Amino acid sequence: MLVLRLLNVVAPAYFLCISLVTFVLQIFLFIPSMFRDPSTTPLFSPALLHGALFLFLSANAMGNYVLVIQSSPEDLGKDLNLGKGAEVADWLDGSRSPGSALPSTHFCRLCARVTQRHDHHCFFTGNCIGSRNMRNFVMFCLYTSLACLDSLVAGMAYISATLSMSFADPLAFLTLLPHSISQFFSGALLSSEMFVILMLYLWLGIGLACAGFCCHQMLLILRGQTRYQVRKGMVVRARPWRENLQEVFGKRWLLGLLIPVRNVESDCRRQKGK
């Protein structure tokens, strides 16, 4: 438990550090050096267009990241009558009356609260993912993977021009790291260039991981399930996939796809239910 609590603090700091390094490399290194075209007007220059694209992806990723943290799942434990001397964890483990349990509830020991429609605990946000922040989590994974892909392409273009090498062969990227390590220790490669090469593989790993999270989460949303339900083998009521999507993304899904916003409609339905 101590290791998990430490990871819950270190992982968000690690993500923010990687985001800051990526922003600095893109704005102050890749874009000024790789997107120069004197023949175009400043308004439609490649540097400005690529910078606008990167800022759009980064703003959506960080905006949804903040909303995932701010839109914490509601603590249902304080509203439940668990009985005198009853522990929340015991109640969820089934030692209490089965009729008192709400569907898809889970007690997170890291957050110390009971949340409805619990999906999982995200260490990179230090928060549980539930009904209130599921849409922002999916958008966060989507735009993080796109930002990493954009940084990967720009970084490869920078390394290709700096080291005069071609990535036409797919094996060139796979052999880039061991070849660069040998050149770095022999003194033929600068530390700044080696750092960019290491960031290429980091962007590839983070981008693939976030894309996998996004695709897996969308599949569960279409089925109307959560990871916690799948892990526990819970049976969910079959509904049309459109209703499952609307429950998570709301009717104004296009607005949430373009800018980071809260799912106001789900909050309104929750207040009407109360």
Side-chain angles (χ1 to χ4, degrees), residues 3 17 21 29-30 40 43 75 77 89 105 117-118 120 170 172 189 194 198-199 209 218 223 265 269:
V3 176
C17 181
V21 172
L29 183 62
F30 297 158
T40 59
L43 183 61
D75 187 1
T105 54
R117 287 200 64 81
H118 175 86
H120 69 285
L189 193 66
M194 185 65 198
L198 293 176
M199 290 299 299
M218 284 300 301
R223 294 177 178 177
E265 296 179 0
R269 287 196 299 266

Side-chain angles (χ1 to χ4, degrees), residues 87-96 106-107 109 228 232:
E87 295 289 341
V88 177
D90 295 336
W91 173 75
L92 288 173
D93 289 338
S95 60
R96 300 296 162 185
H106 175 64
F107 175 71
R109 298 183 182 276
Y228 179 73
K232 294 296 182 179

Side-chain angles (χ1 to χ4, degrees), residues 73-271:
E74 293 177 329
D75 187 1
L76 303 177
K78 58 184 179 182
D79 298 328
L80 295 172
N81 184 14
L82 305 182
K84 185 178 180 180
E87 295 289 341
V88 177
D90 295 336
W91 173 75
L92 288 173
D93 289 338
S95 60
R96 300 296 162 185
S97 173
S100 63
L102 295 175
S104 305
T105 54
H106 175 64
F107 175 71
C108 179
R109 298 183 182 276
L110 294 175
C111 297
R113 62 188 174 193
V114 181
T115 58
Q116 191 174 11
R117 287 200 64 81
H118 175 86
D119 189 84
H120 69 285
H121 183 89
C122 177
F123 288 97
F124 284 100
T125 60
N127 199 10
C128 281
I129 306 301
S131 57
R132 295 186 63 185
N133 54 8
M134 176 59 71
R135 182 180 74 171
N136 296 120
F137 176 75
V138 174
M139 292 294 100
F140 161 68
C141 292
L142 174 62
Y143 280 104
T144 300
S145 63
L146 293 177
C148 288
L149 176 62
D150 179 82
S151 301
L152 177 64
V153 173
M156 290 177 63
Y158 174 79
I159 291 298
S160 178
T162 304
L163 302 182
S164 301
M165 61 180 303
S166 174
F167 289 99
D169 186 5
L171 296 178
F173 184 79
L174 299 178
T175 58
L176 176 62
L177 183 59
H179 182 66
S180 301
I181 292 176
S182 62
Q183 285 189 330
F184 175 74
F185 285 105
S186 63
L189 193 66
L190 299 177
S191 57
S192 59
E193 297 170 346
M194 185 65 198
F195 179 76
V196 173
I197 293 175
L198 293 176
M199 290 299 299
L200 293 180
Y201 289 90
L202 188 60
W203 287 325
L204 177 63
I206 296 177
L208 291 178
C210 289
F213 273 118
C214 184
C215 294
H216 179 64
Q217 206 69 57
M218 284 300 301
L219 180 61
L220 292 178
I221 291 174
L222 291 173
R223 294 177 178 177
Q225 292 178 311
T226 63
R227 296 187 193 181
Y228 179 73
Q229 291 174 336
V230 174
R231 188 169 66 250
K232 294 296 182 179
M234 298 179 180
V235 180
V236 297
R237 180 172 59 90
R239 296 189 307 175
W241 62 270
R242 293 181 182 272
E243 294 184 8
N244 296 328
L245 278 179
Q246 184 174 341
E247 183 180 8
V248 175
F249 292 93
K251 294 181 180 180
R252 301 178 181 178
W253 59 271
L254 184 59
L255 181 63
L257 187 63
L258 298 177
I259 58 176
V261 293
R262 282 194 179 96
N263 195 350
V264 181
E265 296 179 0
S266 63
D267 292 338
C268 294
R269 287 196 299 266
R270 189 178 296 106
Q271 292 177 359

